[in-house]
Every structure is written in C-alpha cells, then in structure tokens.
Amino acid sequence: MPLRNLSSSSAFGVVSSERIDVAIIGAGVMGAATAYWLKRSDPNLSVAVIERDYSFSQASSTLSASSIRQQFSCPVNIRLSQFGIQFLHAVSEHLSCAGEAIDLGLTEPGYLYLASTDQEPSLRAAWEIQSGHGAEISLLSAPELTRHFPWLNTDGITLGALGLSGEGWFDGPALHQAFLKKALSLGVIKIQGEVKAIHCEGSRPGPRFAKSVSLADGREISCGALVNAAGAWSSRLARDLDIELPIGAARRTVFVLSCPTPLVDCPLLIDTTGFWLRPEGRFLLAGMDPRAEEDDLPLEPDYSELGEAQWAVLAHRIPALEAMRIERAWAGYYEMNHFDHNAVIGPLSGFENFYCIAGFSGHGMQHAPGAGLALAEWILNGAPETIDVRPLGHDRVIRGEPLRELNVIG
Ligand SMILES: Cc1cc2nc3c(=O)[nH]c(=O)nc-3n(C[C@H](O)[C@H](O)[C@H](O)COP(=O)(O)OP(=O)(O)OC[C@H]3O[C@@H](n4cnc5c(N)ncnc54)[C@H](O)[C@@H]3O)c2cc1C
C-alpha cells in the first residue's frame, strides 16, 4: 500500500512519540540513497536511518571495488546502470551540500570481457541484449584486441567485448558518504543502534504490517513503513518473521598489486578464467573466484587465492604481471542473493509496508542511485516509476522463478 494512502494511525493502531513515517534499517549506500530520495520527494515525511556502526567498518559500501558497467545480461540491470552513470556525472547537482562540489574521481575506460571459443556464444548473446537496450559495447577479435592492448596475451581468446561509454570506476565510499550527508542535511533522522526484532500486526495468509522495531539498547521505534537495507545481514532480519530471503554474506578478497610496467589504457578486464583486474592510481586491483564458498567467513583476506597457480594464470594473460608484487589485500562481503544473483527491491511478499533493498550480489554500488529512487517511488506511490525494477521484486523468490544475472564478477 503506498505510504501516501496510509492514515497515520488507522493501519497500525499505534502512534508513539518515536513514530517515524519510514524507518530504514542500515545506512549503507542503499539505506542512504533510499533515505535521500524519500526526503527529496516529500520533505514533510519523517525518515530515519537506523545503523549499528556508523564507522561502516564491515559494510560492503566501504569495502567495494566501486566500478560501473553496462554489460549485464538482465535489461533491468542495464537500465539501473544507465541511470547510475547519469547520476554520477551529475552527482554535485544531486548531493552537494552548501554548494560544495563532489569529486568521485569517475573514470570511464570501459570493461573488457574476454571469451574463449566456448564462451563466445554467451558473450555474443549478452552483447545482443546490451546493444538492444542502448549500451555501447564493441566486439573485438583477437587481432583487434592485440592492437588496442599490446600488453595482453590473446592466447585462447576468440572475442572481447569492450564498453565504449558508461563503464569504469569511481570512489564508492565517497558516493555513500555523500548520499548520507545529503540525506541528513535534508532532515533524515540518524539513529545509532542495532535492530534486534521487528514487530508485526496481522498474520498469514492475510496481509502483515511491520509496526515497530526494537533496538539492542531496549528502545522501540514505531514506523509507518519499514525498509530492510541491511545488506549482507538482511536475511537475518527476515528469518525471524519467516520471510524467505536467500541473501548471504559471501566473502570476497581484493588484492592491491604493483606492476613495474604500466598497462596503457587498461580497462576493467574480466578474464576467461574469472579473474578481474583494473588500475587504481599507480596500482592495480584484482580479484579471483573465491576458494571457499560458505557464507559468513571471517572478514579477512584469503591470500591463498593468489597463490602460485593463480599468479601464473594472471601472468599468462598479462605477461608484465610476472614481475608484479602483492602490496596488500582486503576482504568485504558481497550481499549475495544465492537464488539468482540479483537484488531484491520492493515490498516483501505478504507485507503491506515492509520493503527490501538488498542482495545486489557484488554490483550494488553502481545501482544504488537508481535502486534507491525506485524504492522511494514504490513506497510513496505504490509502484516504481522512473525505472521499472518490478522484475527484481521479492515475489519471484516466492514463486521460485529466478531472474538470473549471468554477468556476476568474482
Ligand atoms: C569486495 C567487493 C567488491 C565490490 N565491487 C563492486 C563494484 O565494483 N561495483 C559495484 O557496483 N558494487 C560492488 N560491490 C557491491 C557493493 O559494494 C554493494 O552492493 C553495496 O555496497 C551494498 O550496499 P548496502 O547498503 O546494501 O550494504 P552495506 O554497505 O553493507 O550496508 C548495510 C548496513 O546495514 C547495517 N546493519 C546490518 N544489520 C543491521 C541491524 N540489525 N541493525 C542496524 N544496522 C544493521 C550494517 O552495519 C551496514 O552498515 C562490491 C562489494 C564488495 C564487498
């Protein structure tokens, strides 16, 4: 039910002094973006973000590789990226506080997906979808790849797909902080605390209403609508209410490498073996498919992912990497939707006023501007308007009909 149609007391029967129109659990980039768009759309709404750790030390939004691409296999993800890049270009217009310019260091050298003979049909199929939805992607043969990128060994590669616009990287944590700062400047309420329980009215099979949340310190906050933006921890909040939300904390290690030979015009490269690599200042960032797949592993980098065998794989593709050095590494959690590697956006099934924006499976930083707007519209008006994110609705999980994103990195 759209929030604009809810009278403040009738739907829930509770009005407390701490009643908030929209309470958002988690102030990572998703919670902050949703709060910003809600408050920007309706300045009279009371909106709060509830966050347990404002240092965001474990949040994916702090530990992201913060890159943006148009090369997805699902049209809704391409649309979110198109909105994302436009937003990044105009970020100061949206998020500047007191006229201060925001510099996210956006650079757009493209993504380069490499394919072997076996992988070529799926690269071509993805290209068809992307081109059909307005993404500018060029298909390059092996000799063309060599001409563009002389440092690349094209042994075993038959085709590459290079993004010509709207693909690159930026300062993701700065985007997150800019969303939060702007949201707070618009009047969003900042609450420090860990949500321990969600209280509901109604019971299944009828509709349920989220009524309030309890925090670890005993405070209770009543709400007109509730948003689960708890990232890799979002399914824990859903479990107690018997909501199926197949999102887990999947650890990913990012290596910081130095290489004595510069890789001129290096894009974000995705190898046939699954490793990815991109420049970051005078260094390179790289990641591999993880060795351990369980959720909730300790948030420490797994250096064994770049052992001798993997080193050889990198050096085979880019011979200059034979002389690379591992400078350091960090680990973060992908908020992995194990069902289909796609986000869950919109009302949680069976609820009138409990929404979700989580499970972006490693591609959420670039989608936060569009996803936050879509959810704000859904909450306020009953449906997303600017970007139709309904294919990412929770009902697909309940129906058992995955919307598989095939281009998931790492
Ligand atoms: C290594 C790595 C590389 C990545 N690379 C890219 C990339 O190149 N491009 C891209 O677009 N995306 C990338 N991502 C993904 C992107 O960073 C995430 O999709 C995005 O940051 C998710 O934001 P979020 O707000 O959902 O989660 P988070 O940033 O994790 O925020 C969730 C917040 O909820 C809080 N919280 C949880 N439970 C509770 C509770 N009970 N009470 C109160 N607060 C709670 C947490 O403390 C946390 O701050 C990457 C992620 C990782 C880890």
Side-chain angles (χ1 to χ4, degrees), residues 13 102 105 116 133 149 151 174 178 199 231 236 238 264 336 347 375 404:
I102 297 169
S116 61
H133 288 84
F149 309 111
W151 40 263
H199 307 289
R236 293 185 196 172
V264 178
M336 188 65 92
L375 184 62
R404 284 206 178 85

Side-chain angles (χ1 to χ4, degrees), residues 12 22 24 36 54 132 168 257 270 272 279 300 323 347 352 374 404 409:
F12 313 107
V22 185
I24 301 172
Y36 159 73
Y54 277 99
L257 309 175
I270 297 122
T272 51
E300 292 155 11
E352 293 283 322
R404 284 206 178 85
I409 299 171

Side-chain angles (χ1 to χ4, degrees), residues 43-302:
N44 294 322
L45 211 63
S46 62
V47 178
V49 285
I50 308 172
E51 170 60 52
R52 62 184 177 198
D53 173 20
Y54 277 99
S55 78
F56 298 104
S57 59
Q58 300 221 322
S60 307
S61 302
T62 303
L63 301 164
S64 180
S66 306
S67 308
I68 177 161
R69 61 186 154 115
Q70 309 297 319
Q71 295 188 60
F72 285 94
S73 67
C74 294
V76 63
N77 287 332
I78 300 170
R79 184 68 196 96
L80 282 165
S81 283
Q82 286 166 339
F83 186 90
I85 195 76
Q86 284 167 10
F87 187 93
L88 294 179
H89 285 153
V91 67
S92 293
E93 285 164 39
H94 290 283
L95 300 184
S96 169
C97 293
E100 219 175 84
I102 297 169
D103 181 8
L104 296 179
L106 174 66
T107 168
E108 296 177 62
Y111 271 55
L112 175 62
Y113 275 83
L114 299 176
S116 61
T117 313
D118 289 355
Q119 295 163 335
E120 197 181 315
S122 48
L123 193 70
R124 285 189 187 278
W127 179 84
E128 291 281 348
I129 296 169
Q130 292 149 8
S131 303
H133 288 84
E136 285 189 297
I137 315 295
S138 175
L139 290 180
L140 301 175
S141 65
E144 286 170 326
L145 287 168
T146 307
R147 260 202 311 282
H148 275 77
F149 309 111
W151 40 263
L152 185 74
N153 173 14
T154 55
D155 188 21
I157 290 172
T158 55
L159 196 67
L162 178 67
L164 301 180
S165 64
E167 294 195 330
W169 46 89
F170 57 98
D171 186 340
L175 174 68
H176 169 214
Q177 289 301 327
F179 263 124
L180 191 55
K181 190 171 168 195
K182 184 70 182 183
L184 297 175
S185 79
L186 294 176
V188 167
I189 301 158
K190 178 178 174 181
I191 297 175
Q192 162 93 54
E194 178 163 17
V195 172
K196 283 292 186 193
I198 297 168
H199 307 289
C200 297
E201 268 181 1
S203 55
R204 291 191 292 183
R208 291 193 282 173
F209 299 88
K211 199 180 70 170
S212 63
V213 297
S214 299
L215 306 188
D217 62 11
R219 274 177 295 166
E220 184 159 336
I221 294 163
S222 303
C223 54
L226 184 64
V227 175
N228 182 350
W233 302 274
S234 50
S235 64
R236 293 185 196 172
L237 292 168
R239 205 173 302 144
D240 290 347
L241 299 174
D242 232 0
I243 300 169
E244 193 182 339
L245 196 61
I247 296 169
R251 186 182 68 187
R252 292 293 180 271
T253 299
V254 180
F255 293 92
V256 182
L257 309 175
S258 56
C259 174
T261 313
L263 308 179
V264 178
D265 294 333
C266 185
L268 194 153
L269 180 144
I270 297 122
D271 187 45
T272 51
T273 58
F275 84 73
W276 63 268
L277 170 144
R278 74 159 170 86
E280 175 67 44
R282 63 195 173 89
F283 297 106
L284 296 165
L285 301 184
M288 336 283 146
D289 285 342
R291 285 162 63 90
E293 285 287 1
E294 312 93 276
D295 282 345
D296 299 315
L297 292 167
L299 212 45
E300 292 155 11
D302 179 359

